[in-house]
Amino acid sequence: MIFYKKILYNMYAEKISDIEEENFLSVNAYSKLLKENNLKYLDREINLNIGIRYSEDDDKTMIYIATPIIKIDY
């Protein structure tokens, strides 16, 4: 699930935190391109959330991107 780094690069974003489990990744980041919707998290600003989940049943990888955070279960 390294391709999230390409999203960060293209969004001029810095990773603030991440949670990685088998078939699941959630990344909180701060993007210089996004000027609104900042939140404080771990004493840092975040405004970008990337969620990636692989479904073995469907053999699909779902990618969710939201600002400031993803508000659905993924």
Side-chain angles (χ1 to χ4, degrees):
M1 291 193 210
I2 302 269
F3 51 84
Y4 81 89
K5 291 182 180 181
K6 290 183 181 183
I7 297 169
L8 293 177
Y9 175 81
N10 286 315
M11 290 296 298
Y12 296 94
E14 173 189 2
K15 180 176 77 171
I16 304 301
S17 68
D18 65 347
I19 298 171
E20 188 168 1
E21 298 176 4
E22 186 176 354
N23 298 327
F24 172 81
L25 174 67
S26 179
V27 176
N28 292 312
Y30 179 79
S31 171
K32 297 175 186 176
L33 296 179
L34 304 171
K35 302 296 182 193
E36 300 177 9
N37 298 325
N38 293 355
L39 295 175
K40 277 281 199 196
Y41 180 71
L42 300 175
D43 293 328
R44 304 279 304 273
E45 298 257 333
I46 64 167
N47 58 11
L48 180 65
N49 188 205
I50 303 166
I52 303 170
R53 177 174 295 280
Y54 173 71
S55 170
E56 292 179 353
D57 295 335
D58 300 326
D59 192 30
K60 290 183 182 178
T61 300
M62 301 298 292
I63 302 172
Y64 300 87
I65 302 173
T67 181
I69 60 171
I70 300 168
K71 294 185 179 182
I72 61 170
D73 290 337
Y74 58 95

